[in-house]
Amino acid sequence: MVFWEEYVSDETMGTYAPVVVYWLYSGLYQLLLPLDNYRLHTRKEESEKNVVSLSSVVKGVLIQQLAQVVVAQALFVLTREVSSSGIIVQQTLPIQILQIVIAMLVMDTWQYFVHRYMHQNKFLYRHIHSQHHRLVVTYAIGALYNHPLEGLLLDTVGGAISFLVSGMTARTAVIFFCFATIKTVDDHCGLWLPGNIFHMIFQNNTAYHDVHHQLQGTRYNYSQPFFPIWDILLGTRMPYRLVKRPEGGFEARLMKD
């Protein structure tokens, strides 16, 4: 039993919860008191290097989430299976955990190769993927700021494939998609906060993705959002070390292998 069972269906929760979680979690980062001692870039760098306004970023994210909601609702309706008694059979906890791990690996694989191709194909980069890189200095609300076509292909279709391949139910998908949303927001928050559990567990984290947004790192660290497996296997991982800046904050300094 889950807390939303008496209020909304698993399908409705799986459709809208990731959107709500996105704005709650990214909004929390935006509303935090100034944390200059933990920033990966200074506020001056953010204002000088980013070439898109916050209002445009918010609009872009909302457009992507609209497509996400439509696809998710259709996906859940088409894949819904019930037993002869009209009840959806839920898997045991170990099976659900396995399904989530499978979904993570599938999503990583899809996003790595699509993301990398969008960098290597000059037309796709210039007309589609470069929109995301207008945020050279990333921040939480801009995590899903993409060209609508990229948002559909990379994130929404990638999520759908992960859901289908793993065989999870809509109830398990609520957990997976909300977790993936939180991880993606955290990777773009631009802060290296002490005690951040994602930084402890995942090598693919805020600093790792920050390297990709730097001019020298745009052809490295394609992996997202969970593991750097494909970067390591295919030689596109860019090592870095975090250096404390004298004026406060950190810098992800690139290194040679």
Side-chain angles (χ1 to χ4, degrees):
M1 183 175 178
V2 289
F3 70 88
W4 64 80
E5 191 169 16
E6 296 181 3
Y7 307 99
V8 297
S9 67
D10 294 338
E11 291 80 9
T12 299
M13 194 70 173
T15 300
Y16 294 101
V19 176
V20 174
V21 167
Y22 182 91
W23 290 106
L24 288 177
Y25 192 58
S26 63
L28 176 64
Y29 270 121
Q30 295 295 128
L31 294 174
L32 284 174
L33 294 173
L35 294 168
D36 291 350
N37 287 334
Y38 304 104
R39 291 175 63 92
L40 293 175
H41 295 272
T42 65
R43 294 183 183 275
K44 181 180 179 182
E45 286 179 305
E46 181 177 320
S47 63
E48 290 179 347
K49 293 183 177 181
N50 289 349
V51 294
V52 61
S53 66
L54 178 60
S55 60
S56 295
V57 168
V58 171
K59 179 181 177 181
V61 172
L62 289 173
I63 290 173
Q64 175 168 332
Q65 288 179 328
L66 175 61
Q68 175 183 312
V69 164
V70 172
V71 172
Q73 192 66 57
L75 183 68
F76 287 136
V77 169
L78 292 173
T79 59
R80 191 172 189 268
E81 295 182 4
V82 297
S83 66
S84 57
S85 61
I87 299 174
I88 298 176
V89 178
Q90 304 295 335
Q91 299 291 347
T92 61
L93 182 58
I95 295 297
Q96 291 182 65
I97 293 173
L98 177 61
Q99 289 173 331
I100 289 174
V101 171
I102 291 172
M104 291 167 73
L105 295 173
V106 171
M107 179 174 283
D108 274 358
T109 301
W110 175 265
Q111 294 211 359
Y112 176 87
F113 288 101
V114 174
H115 183 198
R116 181 173 177 175
Y117 185 67
M118 284 189 171
H119 274 270
Q120 294 177 330
N121 184 296
K122 293 181 179 180
F123 179 86
L124 291 178
Y125 183 82
R126 183 181 301 114
H127 296 284
I128 297 178
H129 187 57
S130 62
Q131 179 169 324
H132 182 66
H133 282 271
R134 291 175 186 173
L135 290 178
V136 178
V137 178
T138 61
Y139 50 79
I141 283 180
L144 290 183
Y145 174 67
N146 299 299
H147 186 283
L149 182 58
E150 177 179 353
L152 178 64
L153 182 62
L154 191 68
D155 296 315
T156 304
V157 172
I161 292 173
S162 302
F163 170 77
L164 293 171
V165 172
S166 66
M168 62 177 62
T169 64
R171 182 167 299 184
T172 306
V174 174
I175 307 301
F176 172 66
F177 287 132
C178 285
F179 177 64
T181 297
I182 291 172
K183 180 65 171 58
T184 299
V185 169
D186 204 85
D187 288 347
H188 289 82
C189 72
L191 297 170
W192 192 260
L193 296 174
N196 187 321
I197 191 169
F198 292 121
H199 298 165
M200 300 175 187
I201 296 176
F202 295 96
Q203 293 180 34
N204 189 345
N205 51 41
T206 308
Y208 189 92
H209 193 64
D210 176 74
V211 167
H212 177 71
H213 276 261
Q214 294 183 34
L215 182 61
Q216 309 96 313
T218 54
R219 291 189 175 274
Y220 299 92
N221 293 12
Y222 296 113
S223 293
Q224 55 184 38
F226 300 110
F227 309 109
I229 297 171
W230 288 110
D231 276 323
I232 293 171
L233 291 176
L234 299 180
T236 54
R237 176 179 174 271
M238 173 64 79
Y240 65 91
R241 62 189 178 95
L242 283 175
V243 179
K244 184 77 173 176
R245 291 195 303 263
E247 67 273 22
F250 296 90
E251 175 188 353
R253 188 168 296 174
L254 309 189
M255 300 166 56
K256 297 290 185 179
D257 275 318

